[in-house]
Structure formats: structure tokens, C-alpha cells
Amino acid sequence: MGAGVNFFDTAEIYTFGRSERLLGACLQRYHKPVVIASKFAPLPTRLTRRQFMHALDGSLSRLGVQTIDLYYIHFPYALLSVEKLMDLMAQAVEAGKVRAVGVSNFNAKQMHRAATRLERYHIPLAANQVRYNLIHRQPEENGVLEACRELKVTLVAYRPLERRRLVPRTSPSSSPSSTGWKGQALSKEEALQETLQAIAQQQGKSVSQIALNWLLRRDEHVIPIPGTTSARHALEIADTLSWELSDDEYDAIDKASSPWKH
Ligand SMILES: NC(=O)c1ccc[n+]([C@@H]2O[C@H](COP(=O)([O-])OP(=O)(O)OC[C@H]3O[C@@H](n4cnc5c(N)ncnc54)[C@H](OP(=O)(O)O)[C@@H]3O)[C@@H](O)[C@H]2O)c1
């Protein structure tokens, strides 16, 4: 918060509510204006309006707020239609408990269904949170990025550092991918790492900053949400917003990451 970070993503299922509680405690302590996102997990025991509201009330209480700025459906669920889920979200907005409605891990078709249902209530679909990074470019291919552009929905990119796989490795043997991956995949990743490291050196930035900056430059609809447990990394992440890759740098990274386009 001290570095100006004001958007925090959590979910009721992260560490069984502890993540929301910790964030709530920070909010109490720092009194900074922030935007909080949390998520409802549709599960077999969460099928009714009452159960949904109970879960939402639990999140509000753990976070210590009256309204959640952005509330997502964490993932689509076969036992609850997209329409029913959006009806529940609209009721939460109407009750003043949620400001903006998001979905997560929804495909393009599910996004369109969600946006269409919300139109009934004059509520826009604000965001779809999906996994997206330099070595996981499916949203470009599966229609999700396109749907975000069409529907004016923000693509919130989770795992933007692919859980450290886009962070420099100290030695090849420390790479999680070097044990189980085929040689070809590893060499593609090494080539990408080389490009990222060369640009990082030129810019005087870290590889993770380069990977995040690439996502920010990728499309105006994309917002990456990196996770960290380290204050130093949090400061580094915050600094990613203060500069931009050049067109040539962006293109070089795009090319090195092109094997993951298909
Ligand atoms: N909607 C969903 O289904 C879903 C699924 C997964 C995640 N998410 C959300 O997305 C967020 C991010 O995803 P994620 O945490 O799984 O993956 P991530 O952001 O790709 O990677 C996090 C890892 O990167 C490291 N890291 C962060 N900044 C770094 C830096 N500057 N230098 C070096 N290492 C750095 C962190 O280590 P340190 O802790 O040591 O910094 C951590 O191990 C989560 O916190 C969660 O809110 C949503």
C-alpha cells in the first residue's frame, strides 16, 4: 500500500478465508482508499440464493467492508447456469453489497451469456479473470481476449508470472520445468528467458517487470495481477507501472513467446 498499490485480489477459498481476513486487517490499519476484489466459489453446498448471500456476507465480514468493489464468480459450475449466477450477482449489487460484477475462468460463450443476462439489470460485466502470460497465451486463441474487447470487459490476467516460471532461474536444475518437460519445451523457454534477460539488462529492470510490462502493453483491456509474499517484489511490481517497453522490445518479446500462441 505504501508504494501506491491500490488493487487487491482475494477469494473466500484462498487459505480458507485467512487471505480475506489478512487483507481486512491491513485495510483497518492503513486506511488507504483501495479497490478490493473477491470471489464466490460455486460448490455443491452453494446452490441457493440464501447460500450465495451467506457466502458473500462471510467475505464482507472477513474483509471488514460493507461493499466489495469487484465480486467474481470464481469458476463456472455445471449445477448453476450462468444466468442463475448472474441473477444472484445482480441481487447482490441491488442490495449494495457489490459494486461491480466479474467472472473468472469463463470462456467466451459464457462471458457473452453473463453479459446478456446482466443487461436485464443494466449492470455491465466488468471483468473476466483468466490465466494469461507469455507462456500461456490461450486467451488470444480461445476468443476470451476478443470477447473482452467486444464487450468492453477487462481481462484480469492471473498468474502473470506463471508462478515464477517467468522469473530468472538461478540454475537449470532449479527450474520446475527442467525435470518433467520435454527438451523442446525447455529450449523454447530458455530462448524466451534470454530475450527477457537481454531487455531487462538494457532497461535496468528485472525479468518479472519485463514480463508484466509486456502484458500491460499487450492490450488496453488487460490488467495483470501478480502475487507476491515479498515486500521487495511488491515494490518491484509497483515500479512496472512507471515505464513502458519500446515497440521493438515489445515485438522481440512477442516473437520469442510466439511458440505459445497456438
Ligand atoms: N481466478 C483464479 O482462478 C486464480 C487462480 C490463480 C491465481 N489467481 C490470482 O492471481 C494472483 C497471481 O497468481 P499467482 O500468485 O498464482 O502467480 P504469479 O503472480 O504468476 O506468480 C507468483 C510468484 O511469483 C513470484 N514473484 C512475484 N513478483 C516477483 C518478482 N518481482 N521477482 C521474483 N519473483 C516474483 C512470487 O514469489 P514471492 O512470493 O517470493 O514474491 C510467487 O512465487 C493470485 O495471487 C490470485 O489472486 C486467481
Side-chain angles (χ1 to χ4, degrees):
M1 284 185 195
V5 174
N6 65 355
F7 180 44
F8 295 91
D9 184 86
T10 183
E12 54 174 344
I13 59 171
Y14 294 170
T15 55
F16 304 103
R18 192 159 168 254
S19 168
E20 286 183 329
R21 255 186 226 106
L22 273 175
L23 187 52
C26 289
L27 299 179
Q28 296 263 313
R29 191 162 160 193
Y30 293 104
H31 300 291
K32 300 249 183 185
V34 292
V35 177
I36 300 295
S38 194
K39 311 182 191 81
F40 169 78
L43 297 167
T45 49
R46 318 293 218 41
L47 301 175
T48 65
R49 180 184 181 277
R50 207 160 146 237
Q51 287 162 338
F52 170 84
M53 287 298 174
H54 182 69
L56 172 55
D57 287 342
S59 287
L60 288 166
S61 148
R62 284 185 292 275
L63 288 163
V65 296
Q66 306 220 311
T67 308
I68 293 178
D69 299 301
L70 172 58
Y71 197 47
Y72 293 97
I73 299 297
H74 207 143
F75 37 79
Y77 188 53
L79 296 183
L80 276 174
S81 71
V82 170
E83 287 73 19
K84 167 87 177 159
L85 285 166
M86 292 305 112
D87 288 346
L88 293 171
M89 286 295 227
Q91 286 163 25
V93 173
E94 281 161 6
K97 296 182 179 191
V98 166
R99 253 183 214 108
V101 175
V103 293
S104 178
N105 300 303
F106 274 40
N107 65 28
K109 197 170 161 203
Q110 290 162 335
M111 282 178 71
H112 278 280
R113 279 174 60 188
T116 303
R117 189 61 167 210
L118 287 173
E119 265 172 29
R120 280 191 182 189
Y121 304 96
H122 308 289
I123 297 171
L125 178 64
N128 187 12
Q129 186 176 130
V130 292
R131 183 171 162 201
Y132 184 31
N133 60 55
L134 280 164
I135 56 173
H136 187 95
R137 296 183 67 167
Q138 273 85 336
E140 296 170 11
E141 303 296 322
N142 63 18
V144 165
L145 180 56
E146 196 45 48
C148 285
R149 290 177 182 140
E150 223 176 287
L151 298 167
K152 297 188 173 43
V153 167
T154 299
L155 190 161
V156 177
Y158 74 71
R159 256 183 227 171
L161 301 171
E162 193 55 27
R163 289 215 160 140
R164 293 190 85 102
R165 265 183 56 201
L166 287 167
V167 171
R169 294 154 190 165
T170 43
S171 72
S173 60
S174 68
S175 152
S177 60
S178 64
T179 47
W181 281 57
K182 296 183 185 87
Q184 202 193 353
L186 191 61
S187 65
K188 281 188 298 185
E189 239 175 280
E190 280 173 346
L192 174 63
Q193 281 283 345
E194 265 183 32
T195 306
L196 293 174
Q197 289 196 21
I199 294 170
Q201 243 170 7
Q202 273 162 31
Q203 284 268 10
K205 301 289 177 190
S206 72
V207 165
S208 39
Q209 287 178 308
I210 302 295
L212 293 174
N213 208 300
W214 183 88
L215 275 172
L216 286 167
R217 275 277 321 256
R218 175 70 187 87
D219 192 286
E220 60 176 347
H221 295 89
V222 175
I223 295 180
I225 48 161
T228 181
T229 54
S230 141
R232 186 169 60 83
H233 289 165
L235 290 172
E236 210 178 279
I237 289 166
D239 176 62
T240 308
L241 296 168
S242 68
W243 55 278
E244 270 194 13
L245 291 167
S246 71
D247 289 347
D248 286 349
E249 289 166 338
Y250 174 87
D251 290 343
I253 297 167
D254 193 54
K255 195 167 161 223
S257 140
S258 60
W260 286 276
K261 270 188 177 175
H262 304 290

